[in-house]
């Protein structure tokens, strides 16, 4: 069966006692033992065990061609759990452009000497080759496409290099989703998602996920870490996430198609200095993106506005359809002046606007941007 069929039917699961087609929500935090003390239902306590999590995890693992998946309370909870499993002072390589809170958190870990952090330019394999320390580099973090610049990293080439020196490759695939990219098939060891974004897709659940290529010792440590820290979402949120994932293969390609249109319209506008989208032929990562992504290039488009920060902020204020709000991956389109959100340490250019493209009519979105850019020019 194709992934879209598996997603639409949530793997075809039918609730065994009632034969319900829609999965049940299990709010119970505890599960009864048998007289011999065993757990015949396979669950004991809700901090990491719940049939509703397991269903959502099973769907995601299948869509990612993974051995297993785990849900977390947020994308950051998933990401930080991976880092917690490393030995003290492990050498970690991460990209210069990535989700800003993750980079900030890695820097804080490094300042506390919990890890030895090295940042390299996104997708620069020569820089990665120079940065790796055989026997000491434990983890190479990849984010592709990267938030908010859409920089692309070659997952297969990165994995080949990292595996030669025994390092694990983790890909934050939030912007790609399994509809566009399956990093495990390209050699990644772990994939991380902010499921808050397109996996859920409706801007009403905070969730994260990890999926693994192998159920190995590192995966056991991740599972233990989740159990101990209780970094898990509620069963209702897990159920909403499962419902969201069932329409993934309708929503994600539709948003990507509109994003491509919007990126092309932006590229032609005289007020736009640069339209940043991996689907544009002149994007520096376009050739790699074409190789490792399918069904389009994601829902995130950024652009640099002529006239700097003031002009960029005028565009935001004049948009009618795009909502001025942070986050991405919902069915409604959002815009934000990214540097303002990231704060004084932001490395994002002050003239950059980040757009998250939803499922509205693509011409409506493009027209809205054109009218706002025209007015910013006045
Ligand atoms: C690429 C990326 N990774 C991770 C995160 C963090 O996810 P969450 O907000 O679910 O903790 C975000 C959030 O915006 C993101 O865009």
């Amino acid at each position: 069966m194709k992934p879209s069929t598996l997603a639409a039917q949530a793997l075809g699961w039918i609730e065994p006692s009632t034969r319900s087609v829609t999965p049940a929500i299990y709010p119970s935090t505890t599960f009864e033992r048998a007289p011999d003390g065993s757990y015949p239902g396979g669950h004991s306590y809700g901090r990491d065990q719940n049939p509703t999590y397991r269903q959502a995890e099973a769907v995601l693992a299948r869509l990612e061609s993974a051995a297993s998946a785990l849900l977390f309370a947020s994308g950051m909870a998933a990401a930080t759990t991976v880092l917690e499993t490393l030995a003290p002072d492990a050498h970690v390589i991460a990209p210069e452009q990535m989700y800003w809170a993750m980079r900030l958190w890695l820097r804080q870990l490094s300042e506390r000497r919990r890890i030895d952090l090295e940042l390299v330019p996104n997708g620069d394999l020569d820089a990665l080759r120079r940065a790796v320390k055989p026997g000491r580099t434990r983890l190479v973090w990849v984010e592709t496409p990267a938030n908010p610049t859409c920089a692309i990293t070659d997952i297969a080439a990165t994995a080949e290099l990292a595996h030669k020196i025994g390092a694990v490759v983790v890909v934050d695939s939030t912007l790609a989703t399994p509809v566009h990219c399956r990093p495990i098939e390209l050699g990644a060891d772990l994939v991380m998602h902010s499921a808050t974004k397109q996996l859920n897709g409706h801007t009403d659940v905070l969730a994260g996920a990890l999926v693994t290529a192998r159920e190995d010792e590192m995966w056991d440590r991740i599972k233990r870490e989740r159990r101990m820290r209780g970094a898990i979402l509620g069963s209702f949120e897990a159920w909403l996430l499962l419902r969201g994932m069932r329409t993934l293969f309708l929503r994600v390609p539709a948003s990507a198609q509109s994003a491509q249109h919007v990126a092309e319209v932006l590229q032609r506008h005289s007020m736009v200095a640069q339209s940043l989208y991996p689907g544009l032929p002149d994007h520096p990562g376009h050739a790699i993106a074409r190789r490792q992504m399918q069904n389009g290039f994601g829902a995130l488009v950024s652009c640099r506005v002529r006239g700097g920060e003031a002009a960029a902020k005028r565009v935001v204020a004049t948009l009618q359809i795009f909502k001025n709000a942070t986050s991405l991956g919902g069915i409604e389109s959002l815009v934000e002046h990214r540097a303002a959100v990231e704060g004084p340490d932001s490395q994002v250019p002050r003239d950059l606007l980040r757009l998250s493209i939803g499922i509205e009519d693509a011409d409506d979105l493009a027209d809205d941007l054109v009218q706002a850019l025209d007015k910013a020019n006045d």
Side-chain angles (χ1 to χ4, degrees):
M1 274 187 274
K2 302 268 193 312
S4 51
T5 307
L6 295 168
Q9 296 203 352
L11 306 183
W13 189 86
I14 296 286
E15 202 277 315
S17 59
T18 63
R19 311 301 299 162
S20 80
V21 170
T22 299
I25 304 175
Y26 291 89
S28 188
T29 52
T30 193
F31 301 85
E32 193 188 29
R33 287 183 196 262
D36 67 357
S38 67
Y39 288 104
H43 298 84
S44 65
Y45 185 58
R47 194 162 62 226
D48 68 336
Q49 296 174 0
N50 184 300
T52 320
Y53 311 155
R54 285 310 306 152
Q55 281 170 31
E57 288 168 348
V59 171
L60 184 59
R62 191 71 177 271
L63 298 182
E64 287 283 8
S65 304
S68 190
L70 290 173
L71 292 186
F72 289 82
S74 67
M76 283 302 283
T80 55
T81 298
V82 176
L83 272 291
E84 281 305 327
T85 63
L86 297 180
D89 207 30
H91 184 236
V92 172
I93 301 176
E96 285 174 354
Q97 296 168 29
M98 66 189 304
Y99 174 56
W100 72 282
M102 185 61 191
R103 192 182 50 232
L104 181 65
W105 188 76
L106 287 172
R107 282 223 173 97
Q108 286 169 357
L109 281 188
S110 173
E111 278 159 22
R112 293 196 335 246
R113 299 190 192 288
R114 173 66 182 82
I115 58 168
D116 172 14
L117 177 68
E118 197 150 346
L119 298 179
V120 296
N122 295 52
D124 185 338
L125 291 171
D126 288 333
L128 180 63
R129 216 168 275 122
R130 285 194 298 275
V132 291
K133 298 181 183 170
R136 280 212 53 224
T137 305
R138 299 291 173 220
L139 194 146
V140 177
W141 191 274
V142 171
E143 184 178 309
T144 184
N147 178 3
T149 56
C150 294
I152 297 291
T153 297
D154 185 331
I155 297 171
T158 303
E160 199 187 327
L161 223 157
H163 290 162
K164 271 194 194 134
I165 54 123
V168 163
V169 174
V170 187
V171 178
D172 180 341
S173 195
T174 299
L175 267 55
T177 82
V179 176
H180 294 313
C181 185
R182 287 183 297 282
I184 285 181
E185 291 177 4
L186 299 166
D189 302 288
L190 293 170
V191 179
M192 178 244 139
H193 285 285
S194 167
T196 313
K197 309 299 184 309
Q198 276 188 303
L199 283 185
N200 178 59
H202 294 75
T203 327
D204 52 11
V205 169
L206 206 64
L210 292 175
V211 308
T212 184
R214 291 167 303 281
E215 297 199 76
D216 56 8
E217 203 238 333
M218 184 165 187
W219 191 243
D220 285 343
R221 271 181 280 150
I222 288 171
K223 281 200 282 198
R224 268 202 305 278
E225 203 55 47
R226 184 182 76 162
R227 186 178 320 132
M228 291 309 176
R229 289 146 57 102
I232 189 70
L233 67 174
S235 51
F236 182 56
E237 285 76 11
W239 184 87
L240 279 176
L241 172 60
L242 179 62
R243 185 173 74 168
M245 285 196 292
R246 296 177 77 155
T247 56
L248 199 62
F249 284 81
L250 288 179
R251 289 184 286 105
V252 171
S255 289
Q257 203 179 344
S258 298
Q260 180 78 34
H261 178 59
V262 163
E264 287 168 7
V265 169
L266 287 172
Q267 197 172 36
R268 288 194 295 269
H269 199 283
S270 60
M271 277 298 284
V272 174
Q274 198 180 9
S275 175
L276 297 161
Y277 186 66
L280 295 174
D282 63 354
H283 185 279
H286 181 66
I288 297 164
R290 278 180 74 97
R291 255 200 337 265
Q292 68 185 22
M293 297 179 82
Q294 310 89 41
N295 305 313
F297 300 91
L300 192 120
V301 181
S302 289
C303 69
R304 299 187 63 179
V305 179
R306 284 193 210 284
E309 178 169 353
K313 286 185 169 168
R314 278 203 302 281
V315 173
V316 173
T318 318
L319 284 165
Q320 303 284 313
I321 297 175
F322 284 83
K323 303 289 175 263
N324 181 4
T326 197
S327 201
L328 55 104
I331 51 179
E332 60 288 295
S333 294
L334 305 178
V335 62
E336 71 177 346
H337 179 254
R338 191 62 193 161
V341 172
E342 296 190 5
D345 294 340
S346 175
Q347 297 172 348
V348 173
R350 309 291 308 177
D351 57 6
L352 185 139
L353 294 182
R354 190 186 79 178
L355 307 168
S356 171
I357 305 299
I359 58 167
E360 304 93 336
D361 183 87
D363 288 328
D364 280 350
L365 297 176
D367 290 350
D368 193 25
L369 283 161
V370 168
Q371 67 79 24
L373 287 160
D374 287 347
K375 286 194 185 120
N377 197 14
D378 288 344

